[in-house]
Amino acid sequence: MKELLSEKSLPLVNLTADISKVNRTGYVQGEIEITDCLRRTDPESETVRYQCKLRYRGGSATRYDKKSFALKLYDDAGEDLDANIFGIREENSWILDAMAIDRMRMRNRVCFDVWNEMSHTPYETDFDKRNGTKGEFVEVFLNGEYHGLYCMTDKIDRKMLGLKKAKLAEDGEVKVKGLLYKGNAWNDYTDIYLRSYEETATDKDTWNAWELQYPDDYPGIDAWQPLMDLIDFCSDKTSDDDFLQSYEEWFYPDNLADYVAFTLALNVGDNLYKNTFLSTVDITQGHRYMLSPWDMDMSLGGRWDGKYNEGVAAIGQYNSRAPFDRLIGRNADGFLDRLTDTWKTHYTALFAPESIGGRLDSYTSKFMESGAWEREYAKWNNNPVPLKEQ
């Protein structure tokens, strides 16, 4: 592993664990060793080691040979250990993203880089109002054996978004405050479009096509009722006049405009509302929801299955999604003017072909100069998709 080190190396990550026991549902004990010539994690040393727990991450992607990992760091006492890996932020929970169906191995990262520059939380947080992940490309080894090019990132979670913690009273009752939901699947329900839902049990961390990300320890009606209320507001139960008068009590208009402009500009096609987070800071103080994107492999000309996407993003794809069906379809509150202004702000800068191309070229140069792409190509080309020949 160390023979790959040079001033142009990507950081090297070695996971030590019994890989035969790793699965999706439970964490397995292990160790993570990170070697970074720039010493961004520990200024005193190129190499840091942490005890960790790991599992496979993802749904359909776990069927691929090259799998993503979710990691949790812990100390000698078995308690969560926060570490500021690569200077991203103090955190104990990390992701090693395999990018297995992305022929370029960078779409998700490039999209988040753009999103982080253009859109921020509409309130102060401990992380500079960040509304997306940060990450660093690394080369991963499993028990010392080369395993490929990965992106190590933090997560969109309660701490990043500044959501208030749930409170556990002395009598055992839980007071839900901050909420974080994630669109989890395309299915026959229309609730994924925030237009309706099926009455079903609320005692699990999944409900209809949504997953409760926080507080996932306390699923129940108190955690799911706010989402039902949001869907009821967005549905035909609310008249156009009532919607127009109060939609800003439920959403941040600038965040909505950012999301539409961003997904159209980068042709992000699997994030409406699947792979989308909905969050509210404190449901006891108000119910304004913010949108945050997640897995964006289907972007920049790529499909969810790794094939090329010949389609072009169109604003009409939002016609069936609330609240956009009224904001765009009926231009409620002059939303199209707000969206036009957002587009004008970014189309000659962040969205410009030369800007996006520059980001792609920059990462490509890192892959090539470090030798990471040559190794990735030799290891994973055509498994499961053909990689780009750089």
Side-chain angles (χ1 to χ4, degrees):
M1 179 169 131
K2 297 293 178 68
E3 65 271 12
L4 301 183
L5 283 178
S6 73
E7 71 273 7
K8 294 183 178 179
S9 297
L10 300 181
L12 307 179
V13 173
N14 184 48
L15 295 177
T16 302
D18 186 345
I19 298 300
S20 67
K21 294 182 179 179
V22 179
N23 56 62
R24 280 186 59 197
T25 57
Y27 283 89
V28 172
Q29 289 186 339
E31 181 183 84
I32 182 171
E33 176 185 287
I34 302 170
T35 301
D36 177 19
C37 292
L38 299 180
R39 301 189 177 190
R40 287 165 291 182
T41 303
D42 181 357
E44 302 300 320
S45 177
E46 288 185 345
T47 300
V48 294
R49 294 177 183 84
Y50 302 105
Q51 297 179 77
C52 71
K53 301 174 184 177
L54 64 153
R55 65 172 177 84
Y56 291 135
R57 174 192 167 270
S60 60
T62 56
R63 68 176 181 264
Y64 305 136
D65 291 337
K66 189 188 184 195
K67 294 176 173 61
S68 297
F69 295 93
L71 307 172
K72 289 186 177 181
L73 311 183
Y74 65 94
D75 60 20
D76 291 339
E79 300 296 324
D80 290 348
L81 175 67
D82 289 340
N84 193 353
I85 295 177
F86 305 129
I88 292 174
R89 64 164 162 142
E90 292 281 343
E91 181 55 55
N92 80 298
S93 186
W94 296 88
I95 291 171
L96 281 169
D97 184 9
M99 309 169 289
I101 56 90
D102 180 2
R103 298 168 185 242
M104 300 190 304
R105 300 296 202 248
M106 66 176 76
R107 283 185 170 90
N108 193 54
R109 183 71 265 139
V110 168
C111 288
F112 265 124
D113 290 350
V114 174
W115 175 252
N116 286 338
E117 284 196 37
M118 71 171 289
S119 191
H120 304 88
T121 65
Y123 50 84
E124 295 297 325
T125 71
D126 292 337
F127 301 101
D128 298 322
K129 303 169 72 171
R130 181 151 61 92
N131 189 17
T133 72
K134 285 188 176 181
E136 189 72 28
F137 287 107
V138 301
E139 293 190 82
V140 168
F141 294 73
L142 298 182
N143 297 317
E145 181 178 347
Y146 187 77
H147 200 64
L149 177 64
Y150 279 69
C151 190
M152 190 166 188
T153 77
D154 63 351
K155 299 167 62 177
I156 293 176
D157 58 12
R158 183 198 66 78
K159 287 189 286 186
M160 178 192 292
L161 300 180
L163 311 183
K164 299 300 183 183
K165 282 186 177 181
K167 296 293 185 182
L168 182 62
E170 291 182 2
D171 62 4
E173 289 293 317
V174 176
K175 190 174 187 65
V176 173
K177 290 193 168 187
L179 287 163
L180 183 63
Y181 307 108
K182 182 169 77 76
N184 203 34
W186 299 121
N187 58 23
D188 293 334
Y189 305 130
T190 54
D191 67 284
I192 196 67
Y193 304 150
L194 296 183
R195 296 172 63 94
S196 67
Y197 55 86
E198 288 192 352
E199 299 289 348
T200 187
T202 58
D203 59 349
K204 299 179 180 179
D205 61 5
T206 56
W207 173 81
N208 283 244
W210 293 89
E211 181 179 346
L212 182 64
Q213 294 280 302
Y214 186 83
D216 55 320
D217 288 340
Y218 307 113
I221 189 62
D222 289 344
W224 288 115
Q225 186 64 54
L227 181 57
M228 297 180 200
D229 294 341
L230 175 66
I231 296 172
D232 285 342
F233 171 74
C234 290
S235 74
D236 293 339
K237 295 178 181 179
T238 303
S239 69
D240 285 350
D241 287 343
D242 288 344
F243 175 88
L244 182 59
Q245 294 205 356
S246 48
Y247 88 94
E248 288 194 45
E249 298 174 14
W250 294 85
F251 294 99
Y252 299 95
D254 286 343
N255 170 252
L256 296 178
D258 285 346
Y259 203 83
V260 174
F262 168 76
T263 54
L264 293 179
L266 276 66
N267 203 4
V268 181
D270 200 21
N271 298 73
L272 312 172
Y273 282 99
K274 183 178 180 287
N275 295 324
T276 303
F277 286 100
L278 288 172
S279 62
T280 189
V281 174
D282 185 350
I283 198 65
T284 68
Q285 300 297 316
H287 49 212
R288 295 183 87 182
Y289 287 85
M290 181 179 67
L291 275 62
S292 310
W294 192 233
D295 291 329
M296 291 180 282
D297 288 330
M298 187 171 176
S299 62
L300 299 171
R303 279 169 41 99
W304 61 270
D305 57 1
K307 298 178 181 178
Y308 288 114
N309 180 13
E310 303 295 340
V312 177
I315 197 169
Q317 67 195 35
Y318 279 94
N319 288 345
S320 62
R321 275 78 168 172
F324 303 106
D325 51 350
R326 292 193 243 209
L327 292 175
I328 295 174
R330 305 174 197 178
N331 195 24
D333 196 35
F335 183 79
L336 287 176
D337 293 331
R338 185 188 300 269
L339 182 56
T340 299
D341 290 342
T342 301
W343 187 267
K344 287 180 178 178
T345 298
H346 299 298
Y347 86 102
T348 58
L350 279 176
F351 297 162
E354 56 268 28
S355 175
I356 301 298
R359 294 174 188 272
L360 297 171
D361 289 343
S362 177
Y363 283 132
T364 298
S365 294
K366 288 184 178 181
F367 292 175
M368 298 299 291
E369 291 172 1
S370 65
W373 190 256
E374 181 181 1
R375 288 184 284 274
E376 177 75 1
Y377 193 90
K379 176 81 175 178
W380 294 112
N381 185 39
N382 291 315
N383 183 9
V385 294
L387 300 182
K388 292 284 291 183
E389 293 190 42
Q390 302 290 0

